[in-house]
């Protein structure tokens, strides 16, 4: 095997951890391999990649920002296929080079955080990759909760035990207890973005192989589909080209880490240093989770309104505390081996003033639980004999009888409204706005937080007889509920002007499918 080394000095992580090394990884392989496979009793000629077709693997190592280094390993057809031990042995070389190998060997635990792009493709270049990803199957834990494989992306929900052997079955270790964490940049990138697109985002332009095609008198795109010939004809260019994907992967992962660090500084969550979230969705969930815990005046107002409905003549204190236990955060203590939940009701005076009650509620209400629609009261349930007035079911599931807006929310998300508006002269002096809600569920849908009807529907007098020209006022009013991250469900009565000549037919969801719109033909007035 041929091993080449190249400094990667401009790869600087925003934080460092002495118990972790970050490893960026990519591979190159022959793309034109044809094999005969028996399908339905008939031999079919298909493209199939085998372990022997792997040309090279490329790695970048960064341990505490000490002399970050790129490595290129080229195997000949007669060389053994790649195993994960090749990575471990090369990592040892890097750790010795920067003078820390002896110290790392003494650590109780050492983690390799592997960064990939479409990692399911690259991880499968190792003969022992299945053993590595299922190592924890020896324990009682369900491995499906540890490693997630989806659409050729691989990531871990928790660290995986890394037990590696070489082709001679000799154990290859770094520390006493090696762990593996996998992060796939595909899950952390904008939807349908490739490595070239990520390179543009972080200022790393893609190497143009078509220039080499032209210089060598070959058809356009030849080298990209004939990597073995690129190696034969242009070894230095092959190495530069293959290492570039590792550079993009490493720098984009660092970009996301810096983004997470900035979010912490701005108060948008508690992201652990040097620990990438598995996906953009998990980053957004952390932001929204942080926002959901913040004090909100309208929720406090609604709780006070409901407290005022309690019967003050009979068991008032008991009902008052029972009512609040479902929607307040207790302090959990252990006293003489017993778990005690202290709601700090004793901090409230017997007859608190309005301000004293507001201050106490602002400190003790579980705003996140209320926003998510769990364990909150509903006042108009007199027809439901299974629920008493202001009495709650303690549940970790949304209770439809308690959640007034839940079914409305479900119905609202059955389909989406697609609209494109062009204004001005495109592209000069104008703009194009595209609302594509039905497609947004898989991408921007990450930004949709939990529906937060909490204490019931919120009514705003600003909505009454509001002309369409003041639509911005509707948006401002809805922000009162949950702030700028609000995505909710609204029920509106719309009255069209008498001289309106367009359709007034609402698009319909048919059999649970996408919404259907009436056709806009020259014989019919415009939908707009």
């Amino acid at each position: 095997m041929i091993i080449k080394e190249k400094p990667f000095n401009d790869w600087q992580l925003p934080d460092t951890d002495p118990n972790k090394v970050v490893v960026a990884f990519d591979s190159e392989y022959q793309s034109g391999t044809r094999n005969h496979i028996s399908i339905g009793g008939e031999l079919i000629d298909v493209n199939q990649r085998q372990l022997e077709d792997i040309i090279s693997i490329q790695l970048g190592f960064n341990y505490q920002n000490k002399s970050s280094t790129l490595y290129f390993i080229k195997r000949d057809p007669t060389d053994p296929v790649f195993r994960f031990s090749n990575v471990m042995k090369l990592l040892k070389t890097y750790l010795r080079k920067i003078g820390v190998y002896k110290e790392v060997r003494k650590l109780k635990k050492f983690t390799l955080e592997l960064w990939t792009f479409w990692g399911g493709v690259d991880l499968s270049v190792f003969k022992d990759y299945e053993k590595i990803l299922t190592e924890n199957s020896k324990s009682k834990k369900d491995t499906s909760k540890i490693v997630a494989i989806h659409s050729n992306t691989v990531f871990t929900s928790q660290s995986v035990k890394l037990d590696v052997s070489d082709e001679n079955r000799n154990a290859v270790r770094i520390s006493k207890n090696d762990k593996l964490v996998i992060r796939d940049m595909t899950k952390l990138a904008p939807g349908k973005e490739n490595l070239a697109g990520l390179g543009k985002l972080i200022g790393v332009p893609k190497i143009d192989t078509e220039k080499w095609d032209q210089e060598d008198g070959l058809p356009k795109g030849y080298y990209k589909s004939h990597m073995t010939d690129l190696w034969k004809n242009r070894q230095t260019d092959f190495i530069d080209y293959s290492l570039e994907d590792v550079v993009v992967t490493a720098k984009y992962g660092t970009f996301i880490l810096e983004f997470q660090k900035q979010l912490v500084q701005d108060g948008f969550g508690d992201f652990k240093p040097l620990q990438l979230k598995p996906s953009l969705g998990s980053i957004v969930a952390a932001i929204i989770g942080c926002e959901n815990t913040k004090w909100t005046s309208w929720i406090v107002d609604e709780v006070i309104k409901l407290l005022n409905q309690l019967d003050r003549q009979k068991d008032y204190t008991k009902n008052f505390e029972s009512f609040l236990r479902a929607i307040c955060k207790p302090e959990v203590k252990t006293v003489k081996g017993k778990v005690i939940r202290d709601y700090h009701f004793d901090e409230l005076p017997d007859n608190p003033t309005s301000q004293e009650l507001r201050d106490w509620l602002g400190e003790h209400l579980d705003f996140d639980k209320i926003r998510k629609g769990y364990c909150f009261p509903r006042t108009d349930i007199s027809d439901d004999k299974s629920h008493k007035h202001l009495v709650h079911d303690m549940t970790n599931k949304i209770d439809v009888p308690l959640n007034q807006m839940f079914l409305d929310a479900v119905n609202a998300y059955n389909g989406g409204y697609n609209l494109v508006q062009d204004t001005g002269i495109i592209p000069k002096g104008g703009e194009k706005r595209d609302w594509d809600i039905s497609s947004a569920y898989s991408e921007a849908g990450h930004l949709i937080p939990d529906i937060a009807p909490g204490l019931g529907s919120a009514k705003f007098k600003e909505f009454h007889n509001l002309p369409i020209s003041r639509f911005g006022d509707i948006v401002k009013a809805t922000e009162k509920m949950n702030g700028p991250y609000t995505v909710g469900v609204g029920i509106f009565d719309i009255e069209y002007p008498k001289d309106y000549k367009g359709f007034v037919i609402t698009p319909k969801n048919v059999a649970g499918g996408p919404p259907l719109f009436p056709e806009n033909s020259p014989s019919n007035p415009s939908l707009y």
Side-chain angles (χ1 to χ4, degrees):
M1 290 187 180
I2 300 173
I3 300 177
K4 298 289 184 179
E5 177 184 319
K6 189 175 181 180
F8 192 8
N9 296 326
D10 59 342
W11 183 18
Q12 295 291 304
L13 299 168
D15 291 291
T16 60
D17 181 351
N19 297 291
K20 177 185 289 187
V21 62
V22 176
V23 182
F25 173 65
D26 188 47
S27 66
E28 299 293 344
Y29 56 92
Q30 298 182 65
S31 57
T33 306
R34 304 289 288 180
N35 292 291
H36 297 287
I37 297 179
S38 177
I39 301 177
E42 183 180 355
L43 284 177
I44 306 295
D45 193 28
V46 299
N47 281 323
Q48 183 186 32
R49 188 189 72 171
Q50 296 181 336
L51 291 176
E52 289 79 9
D53 298 325
I54 310 304
I55 301 173
S56 64
I57 59 174
Q58 299 78 237
L59 302 126
F61 294 126
N62 186 321
Y63 177 71
Q64 293 195 297
N65 289 329
K66 295 181 179 180
S67 301
S68 301
T69 306
L70 294 168
Y71 288 94
F72 170 86
I73 309 180
K74 165 70 173 61
R75 64 172 294 277
D76 290 327
T78 56
D79 289 332
V81 298
F82 285 113
R83 293 175 175 268
F84 206 79
S85 57
N86 294 114
V87 176
M88 301 289 277
K89 290 177 179 178
L90 201 57
L91 176 57
K92 287 184 178 183
T93 299
Y94 166 72
L95 294 174
R96 290 190 180 100
K97 169 191 164 186
I98 62 176
V100 298
Y101 180 63
K102 290 183 179 180
E103 289 79 2
V104 171
R105 286 280 294 169
K106 297 175 184 178
L107 294 174
K108 293 182 179 179
K109 184 177 76 171
F110 188 64
T111 300
L112 281 72
E113 184 161 307
L114 191 69
W115 293 359
T116 67
F117 189 86
W118 291 117
V121 174
D122 291 317
L123 282 170
S124 63
V125 307
F126 300 116
K127 185 174 183 177
D128 53 350
Y129 84 96
E130 289 182 292
K131 177 179 180 295
I132 291 170
L133 296 185
T134 59
E135 185 61 42
N136 286 264
S137 62
K138 297 175 183 177
S139 69
K140 295 180 181 179
K141 295 181 180 178
D142 180 5
T143 57
S144 64
K145 296 179 181 178
I146 298 174
V147 179
I149 303 176
H150 178 258
S151 298
N152 271 333
T153 62
V154 182
F155 58 93
T156 52
S157 59
Q158 54 185 282
S159 59
V160 177
K161 181 182 178 182
L162 194 55
D163 189 3
V164 178
S165 301
D166 62 17
E167 62 272 17
N168 298 317
R169 298 186 179 180
N170 297 316
V172 182
R173 297 190 180 94
I174 302 295
S175 71
K176 297 176 182 178
N177 184 14
D178 294 333
K179 296 286 186 178
L180 177 67
V181 171
I182 304 172
R183 289 293 177 260
D184 198 318
M185 298 305 129
T186 318
K187 291 289 184 183
L188 286 159
K192 300 180 181 179
E193 192 66 89
N194 56 21
L195 271 174
L198 293 190
K200 289 181 180 179
L201 287 174
I202 56 175
V204 181
K206 184 71 174 174
I207 292 177
D208 184 12
T209 59
E210 292 180 1
K211 179 181 68 173
W212 300 334
D213 297 331
Q214 186 177 11
E215 290 175 358
D216 294 354
L218 297 170
K220 185 178 180 180
Y222 180 84
Y223 276 138
K224 205 154 196 174
S225 58
H226 297 79
M227 297 300 292
T228 304
D229 290 343
L230 178 59
W231 171 255
K232 291 177 181 177
N233 299 338
R234 293 173 169 263
Q235 291 193 7
T236 301
D237 290 335
F238 183 100
I239 294 172
D240 290 341
Y241 175 80
S242 58
L243 286 175
E244 182 189 54
D245 288 349
V246 176
V247 171
V248 172
T249 300
K251 289 196 171 183
Y252 185 76
T254 304
F255 166 77
I256 296 295
L257 274 180
E258 290 170 344
F259 174 56
Q260 290 183 178
K261 185 174 183 179
Q262 187 62 50
L263 289 172
V264 173
Q265 294 171 357
D266 293 341
F268 285 112
D270 183 19
F271 298 93
K272 296 179 180 179
L274 199 60
Q275 184 168 318
L276 278 176
K277 285 283 188 179
S279 66
L280 288 180
S282 61
I283 292 176
V284 174
I287 295 172
I288 293 171
C290 177
E291 288 296 294
N292 274 356
T293 61
K294 292 183 179 179
W295 195 96
T296 304
S297 60
W298 83 271
I299 291 180
V300 175
D301 291 340
E302 293 297 318
V303 170
I304 292 174
K305 288 178 186 177
L306 292 170
L307 285 170
N308 290 335
Q309 296 178 29
L310 290 172
D311 186 350
R312 293 183 175 273
Q313 304 301 319
K314 185 180 180 181
D315 295 329
Y316 175 74
T317 301
K318 180 180 178 181
N319 291 334
F320 176 90
E321 294 183 359
S322 173
F323 168 74
L324 289 176
R325 279 193 181 93
I327 53 176
C328 286
K329 293 180 294 185
E331 179 186 358
V332 181
K333 305 175 182 178
T334 302
V335 179
K336 296 181 179 180
K338 284 182 132 187
V339 175
I340 305 295
R341 289 175 173 81
D342 185 358
Y343 288 88
H344 296 279
F345 292 127
D346 57 338
E347 295 177 4
L348 268 173
D350 291 339
N351 294 297
T353 65
S354 176
Q355 189 58 48
E356 287 173 336
L357 183 57
R358 285 182 64 81
D359 291 343
W360 188 91
L361 290 171
E363 185 176 344
H364 293 89
L365 282 176
D366 192 334
F367 292 100
D368 185 53
K369 181 190 288 186
I370 293 172
R371 283 191 169 105
K372 289 179 177 176
Y374 302 148
C375 310
F376 59 81
R378 177 176 175 178
T379 57
D380 58 339
I381 53 176
S382 56
D383 295 335
D384 189 347
K385 295 181 180 179
S386 64
H387 289 87
K388 294 182 180 180
H389 183 59
L390 296 183
V391 176
H392 324 282
D393 286 343
M394 294 301 293
T395 174
N396 61 355
K397 295 181 179 179
I398 291 179
D399 189 342
V400 175
L402 289 179
N403 192 330
Q404 300 180 62
M405 299 290 286
F406 181 69
L407 290 179
D408 291 323
V410 171
N411 292 332
Y413 285 104
N414 278 340
Y417 185 72
N418 304 322
L419 171 68
V420 176
Q421 283 185 343
D422 290 341
T423 63
I425 302 173
I426 306 297
K428 294 181 180 179
E431 62 182 1
K432 177 180 178 181
R433 296 184 180 183
D434 184 357
W435 289 273
D436 189 354
I437 303 301
S438 61
S439 297
Y441 297 148
S442 60
E443 306 300 339
H446 287 309
L447 297 170
I448 299 177
D450 295 298
I451 301 301
L455 299 160
S457 59
K459 296 180 180 178
F460 297 96
K461 61 182 181 181
E462 299 99 309
F463 287 176
H464 187 63
N465 291 333
L466 192 64
I468 191 62
S469 59
R470 291 179 54 201
F471 185 77
D473 292 340
I474 297 178
V475 176
K476 290 180 181 178
T478 56
E479 286 186 352
K480 291 181 180 179
M481 296 197 300
N482 274 2
Y485 294 97
T486 295
V487 175
V489 179
I491 300 176
F492 299 89
D493 289 324
I494 302 173
E495 182 178 346
Y496 289 85
K498 292 181 179 179
D499 58 350
Y500 180 70
K501 296 181 180 180
F503 284 108
V504 292
I505 301 173
T506 304
K508 303 273 186 184
N509 288 322
V510 179
L516 300 180
F517 301 85
E519 182 180 357
N520 183 23
S521 65
S523 61
N524 291 323
S526 170
L527 279 171
Y528 307 114

